[in-house]
PDB file of all heavy atoms in Angstrom:
ATOM      1  N   SER A  97      -4.355  18.370 -21.700  1.00  0.00           N
ATOM      2  CA  SER A  97      -3.747  18.849 -20.429  1.00  0.00           C
ATOM      3  C   SER A  97      -3.855  20.343 -20.260  1.00  0.00           C
ATOM      4  O   SER A  97      -3.747  20.843 -19.140  1.00  0.00           O
ATOM      5  CB  SER A  97      -2.259  18.430 -20.364  1.00  0.00           C
ATOM      6  OG  SER A  97      -2.137  17.035 -20.266  1.00  0.00           O
ATOM      7  N   LEU A  98      -4.060  21.073 -21.321  1.00  0.00           N
ATOM      8  CA  LEU A  98      -4.203  22.531 -21.252  1.00  0.00           C
ATOM      9  C   LEU A  98      -5.616  22.998 -20.858  1.00  0.00           C
ATOM     10  O   LEU A  98      -5.806  24.167 -20.594  1.00  0.00           O
ATOM     11  CB  LEU A  98      -3.823  23.142 -22.609  1.00  0.00           C
ATOM     12  CG  LEU A  98      -2.348  23.068 -22.982  1.00  0.00           C
ATOM     13  CD1 LEU A  98      -2.145  23.382 -24.456  1.00  0.00           C
ATOM     14  CD2 LEU A  98      -1.549  24.030 -22.102  1.00  0.00           C
ATOM     15  N   ASP A  99      -6.550  22.092 -20.805  1.00  0.00           N
ATOM     16  CA  ASP A  99      -7.948  22.445 -20.596  1.00  0.00           C
ATOM     17  C   ASP A  99      -8.149  23.108 -19.226  1.00  0.00           C
ATOM     18  O   ASP A  99      -7.934  22.490 -18.200  1.00  0.00           O
ATOM     19  CB  ASP A  99      -8.797  21.189 -20.699  1.00  0.00           C
ATOM     20  CG  ASP A  99     -10.290  21.473 -20.605  1.00  0.00           C
ATOM     21  OD1 ASP A  99     -10.674  22.632 -20.468  1.00  0.00           O
ATOM     22  OD2 ASP A  99     -11.053  20.493 -20.654  1.00  0.00           O
ATOM     23  N   PRO A 100      -8.626  24.377 -19.198  1.00  0.00           N
ATOM     24  CA  PRO A 100      -8.841  25.052 -17.929  1.00  0.00           C
ATOM     25  C   PRO A 100     -10.239  24.860 -17.329  1.00  0.00           C
ATOM     26  O   PRO A 100     -10.604  25.510 -16.369  1.00  0.00           O
ATOM     27  CB  PRO A 100      -8.624  26.526 -18.288  1.00  0.00           C
ATOM     28  CG  PRO A 100      -9.175  26.595 -19.686  1.00  0.00           C
ATOM     29  CD  PRO A 100      -8.804  25.286 -20.342  1.00  0.00           C
ATOM     30  N   SER A 101     -11.032  23.962 -17.902  1.00  0.00           N
ATOM     31  CA  SER A 101     -12.428  23.867 -17.463  1.00  0.00           C
ATOM     32  C   SER A 101     -12.635  23.593 -15.995  1.00  0.00           C
ATOM     33  O   SER A 101     -13.663  24.056 -15.441  1.00  0.00           O
ATOM     34  CB  SER A 101     -13.202  22.864 -18.334  1.00  0.00           C
ATOM     35  OG  SER A 101     -12.716  21.545 -18.115  1.00  0.00           O
ATOM     36  N   PRO A 102     -11.777  22.836 -15.264  1.00  0.00           N
ATOM     37  CA  PRO A 102     -12.063  22.645 -13.849  1.00  0.00           C
ATOM     38  C   PRO A 102     -12.209  23.938 -13.077  1.00  0.00           C
ATOM     39  O   PRO A 102     -13.010  24.016 -12.144  1.00  0.00           O
ATOM     40  CB  PRO A 102     -10.849  21.834 -13.362  1.00  0.00           C
ATOM     41  CG  PRO A 102     -10.364  21.097 -14.549  1.00  0.00           C
ATOM     42  CD  PRO A 102     -10.590  22.062 -15.705  1.00  0.00           C
ATOM     43  N   TYR A 103     -11.436  24.962 -13.460  1.00  0.00           N
ATOM     44  CA  TYR A 103     -11.515  26.251 -12.747  1.00  0.00           C
ATOM     45  C   TYR A 103     -12.831  26.986 -13.040  1.00  0.00           C
ATOM     46  O   TYR A 103     -13.317  27.766 -12.218  1.00  0.00           O
ATOM     47  CB  TYR A 103     -10.355  27.162 -13.147  1.00  0.00           C
ATOM     48  CG  TYR A 103      -9.008  26.459 -13.051  1.00  0.00           C
ATOM     49  CD1 TYR A 103      -8.241  26.279 -14.185  1.00  0.00           C
ATOM     50  CD2 TYR A 103      -8.523  25.973 -11.843  1.00  0.00           C
ATOM     51  CE1 TYR A 103      -7.013  25.643 -14.094  1.00  0.00           C
ATOM     52  CE2 TYR A 103      -7.310  25.346 -11.739  1.00  0.00           C
ATOM     53  CZ  TYR A 103      -6.555  25.172 -12.884  1.00  0.00           C
ATOM     54  OH  TYR A 103      -5.334  24.528 -12.793  1.00  0.00           O
ATOM     55  N   LEU A 104     -13.380  26.731 -14.205  1.00  0.00           N
ATOM     56  CA  LEU A 104     -14.552  27.468 -14.660  1.00  0.00           C
ATOM     57  C   LEU A 104     -15.876  26.769 -14.396  1.00  0.00           C
ATOM     58  O   LEU A 104     -16.898  27.398 -14.195  1.00  0.00           O
ATOM     59  CB  LEU A 104     -14.437  27.754 -16.173  1.00  0.00           C
ATOM     60  CG  LEU A 104     -13.495  28.885 -16.585  1.00  0.00           C
ATOM     61  CD1 LEU A 104     -12.049  28.570 -16.269  1.00  0.00           C
ATOM     62  CD2 LEU A 104     -13.661  29.166 -18.061  1.00  0.00           C
ATOM     63  N   THR A 105     -15.869  25.440 -14.392  1.00  0.00           N
ATOM     64  CA  THR A 105     -17.127  24.690 -14.370  1.00  0.00           C
ATOM     65  C   THR A 105     -17.342  23.871 -13.127  1.00  0.00           C
ATOM     66  O   THR A 105     -18.465  23.421 -12.904  1.00  0.00           O
ATOM     67  CB  THR A 105     -17.223  23.776 -15.587  1.00  0.00           C
ATOM     68  OG1 THR A 105     -16.172  22.798 -15.546  1.00  0.00           O
ATOM     69  CG2 THR A 105     -17.134  24.554 -16.899  1.00  0.00           C
ATOM     70  N   ARG A 106     -16.329  23.634 -12.342  1.00  0.00           N
ATOM     71  CA  ARG A 106     -16.525  22.816 -11.139  1.00  0.00           C
ATOM     72  C   ARG A 106     -16.560  23.716  -9.896  1.00  0.00           C
ATOM     73  O   ARG A 106     -15.658  24.497  -9.652  1.00  0.00           O
ATOM     74  CB  ARG A 106     -15.360  21.822 -11.003  1.00  0.00           C
ATOM     75  CG  ARG A 106     -15.346  20.772 -12.071  1.00  0.00           C
ATOM     76  CD  ARG A 106     -14.291  19.728 -11.820  1.00  0.00           C
ATOM     77  NE  ARG A 106     -14.254  18.730 -12.851  1.00  0.00           N
ATOM     78  CZ  ARG A 106     -13.416  17.724 -12.860  1.00  0.00           C
ATOM     79  NH1 ARG A 106     -12.513  17.585 -11.902  1.00  0.00           N
ATOM     80  NH2 ARG A 106     -13.445  16.839 -13.855  1.00  0.00           N
ATOM     81  N   ASN A 107     -17.570  23.553  -9.111  1.00  0.00           N
ATOM     82  CA  ASN A 107     -17.748  24.398  -7.921  1.00  0.00           C
ATOM     83  C   ASN A 107     -17.052  23.790  -6.710  1.00  0.00           C
ATOM     84  O   ASN A 107     -17.649  23.602  -5.677  1.00  0.00           O
ATOM     85  CB  ASN A 107     -19.246  24.579  -7.649  1.00  0.00           C
ATOM     86  CG  ASN A 107     -19.919  25.408  -8.726  1.00  0.00           C
ATOM     87  OD1 ASN A 107     -19.341  26.375  -9.200  1.00  0.00           O
ATOM     88  ND2 ASN A 107     -21.118  25.006  -9.109  1.00  0.00           N
ATOM     89  N   TYR A 108     -15.759  23.509  -6.861  1.00  0.00           N
ATOM     90  CA  TYR A 108     -15.012  22.852  -5.785  1.00  0.00           C
ATOM     91  C   TYR A 108     -14.538  23.834  -4.730  1.00  0.00           C
ATOM     92  O   TYR A 108     -14.080  23.414  -3.644  1.00  0.00           O
ATOM     93  CB  TYR A 108     -13.828  22.100  -6.359  1.00  0.00           C
ATOM     94  CG  TYR A 108     -12.752  22.968  -6.975  1.00  0.00           C
ATOM     95  CD1 TYR A 108     -11.719  23.516  -6.224  1.00  0.00           C
ATOM     96  CD2 TYR A 108     -12.751  23.217  -8.358  1.00  0.00           C
ATOM     97  CE1 TYR A 108     -10.758  24.305  -6.794  1.00  0.00           C
ATOM     98  CE2 TYR A 108     -11.791  24.019  -8.927  1.00  0.00           C
ATOM     99  CZ  TYR A 108     -10.786  24.548  -8.153  1.00  0.00           C
ATOM    100  OH  TYR A 108      -9.822  25.331  -8.719  1.00  0.00           O
ATOM    101  N   ALA A 109     -14.603  25.124  -5.018  1.00  0.00           N
ATOM    102  CA  ALA A 109     -14.146  26.148  -4.097  1.00  0.00           C
ATOM    103  C   ALA A 109     -14.902  27.449  -4.429  1.00  0.00           C
ATOM    104  O   ALA A 109     -15.509  27.587  -5.488  1.00  0.00           O
ATOM    105  CB  ALA A 109     -12.645  26.377  -4.230  1.00  0.00           C
TER     106      ALA A 109
END
Side-chain angles (χ1 to χ4, degrees):
S97 292
L98 290 166
D99 184 1
S101 66
Y103 310 117
L104 283 66
T105 62
R106 294 185 181 179
N107 293 320
Y108 66 86

